[in-house]
Amino acid sequence: MLGSKWVIKEKIMINIGVLASGRGTNLQAIIEAIEEGKIEGEIKVVVSDHPDACALKRAQQYHIDTRYINFKEFKNREDYDKEIIKTLKEKKIELVVLAGYMRILSPYFIRTYKNKIINIHPALLPSFLGLHAQEQAVVHGVKISGCTVHFVDEGVDSGPIILQKAVEVSDDDTEESLAAKILKEEHQIYPRAIQLFSEGRLIIKGRKVFIK
Ligand code: GRF
């Protein structure tokens, strides 16, 4: 239409960096959400501490840049993290997503990306911290478990909570069957949390995260 003015909503895309050590099903769910236009962002790099991590292969299938960084080449955790940060800075990363990343980040890393690192944990925090959360839930006999997306601070699984999803634990659930139920929900809430972050809708006030 000649003479008429078009206002096109400009999308601000955030640069996402993913750290993953293993199979990468959460990474896959995030990639798919981006492809479907649900997240205003782009994964610029996937970094792994394992050369044969399935997550790296998944990223490569989508032509996402990948880096394997060998921990053994560095004298300590901070030096290792500095190398990762170098890559993240090169890629102008604005959000660091931990997707099954099996190393604890150094305080230096956490300070560098303060309030810009998120993680998913396969339990309803603050229950069942650390490793084997699904097994801990089964052994404890809880009736409800689930998953939590949270900001990462210097503690273990202790940062402000963004989203949670509950699942029922049945009498015959094993660690494996519960993990599968929880994983299905992880694949829903992790992309959703990233979407909210990318839209600038997460406001942290103390321990609480408000969604505006
Ligand atoms: C998930 O269970 C997640 O909650 C935990 O590590 C696992 C990663 O799985 N932090 P995947 O590599 O995304 O399949």
Side-chain angles (χ1 to χ4, degrees):
M1 272 199 294
L2 270 179
S4 65
K5 283 187 183 163
W6 293 89
V7 180
I8 298 167
K9 187 182 166 235
E10 202 184 316
K11 284 200 168 185
I12 301 165
M13 304 287 275
I14 64 158
N15 293 337
I16 301 168
V18 177
L19 270 52
S21 302
R23 63 188 171 177
T25 65
N26 277 287
L27 168 67
Q28 181 79 39
I30 296 161
I31 292 172
E32 285 170 14
I34 290 173
E35 298 242 310
E36 288 162 19
K38 290 182 184 157
I39 296 172
E40 294 176 8
E42 196 183 329
I43 300 177
K44 292 287 187 186
V45 68
V46 175
V47 179
S48 184
D49 54 340
H50 281 281
D52 48 4
C54 212
L56 292 178
K57 294 188 190 84
R58 289 182 197 266
Q60 284 153 8
Q61 276 165 12
Y62 290 87
H63 308 290
I64 296 169
D65 218 346
T66 58
R67 297 272 193 288
Y68 157 59
I69 305 179
N70 184 356
F71 184 76
K72 289 188 186 135
E73 288 174 12
F74 299 86
K75 73 172 188 294
N76 57 38
R77 188 149 45 113
E78 187 167 309
D79 282 3
Y80 182 69
D81 283 357
K82 280 182 176 161
E83 186 65 22
I84 299 178
I85 289 168
K86 215 164 90 187
T87 298
L88 300 177
K89 295 271 180 201
E90 271 166 29
K91 299 282 181 184
K92 300 188 166 43
I93 297 306
E94 298 161 287
L95 173 66
V96 180
V97 173
L98 307 183
Y101 184 62
M102 299 307 286
R103 287 185 185 279
I104 294 173
L105 299 178
S106 61
Y108 180 83
F109 194 127
I110 288 160
R111 283 197 300 270
T112 307
Y113 283 96
K114 190 169 164 41
N115 296 338
K116 292 186 172 67
I117 310 168
I118 60 173
N119 182 45
I120 189 152
H121 183 73
L124 293 177
L125 292 174
S127 290
F128 310 129
L129 311 176
L131 294 174
H132 309 296
Q134 305 93 329
E135 184 190 9
Q136 293 182 54
V138 170
V139 169
H140 198 85
V142 292
K143 305 291 184 196
I144 296 196
S145 190
C147 45
T148 305
V149 182
H150 62 95
F151 283 103
V152 175
D153 64 10
E154 293 188 23
V156 175
D157 301 325
S158 59
I161 290 168
I162 303 170
L163 291 176
Q164 291 186 300
K165 185 72 203 274
V167 305
E168 276 188 32
V169 185
S170 36
D171 293 347
D172 55 358
D173 262 326
T174 60
E175 178 190 355
E176 290 73 29
S177 64
L178 179 61
K181 274 191 212 171
I182 293 173
L183 193 63
K184 212 168 141 220
E185 301 304 334
E186 292 183 32
H187 296 164
Q188 301 301 315
I189 67 166
Y190 215 5
R192 173 77 185 135
I194 296 169
Q195 178 186 10
L196 292 168
F197 184 98
S198 72
E199 292 168 356
R201 293 176 58 195
L202 301 179
I203 312 297
I204 308 175
K205 284 187 186 157
R207 272 221 54 84
K208 291 191 182 171
V209 178
F210 294 90
I211 300 173
K212 50 166 201 192

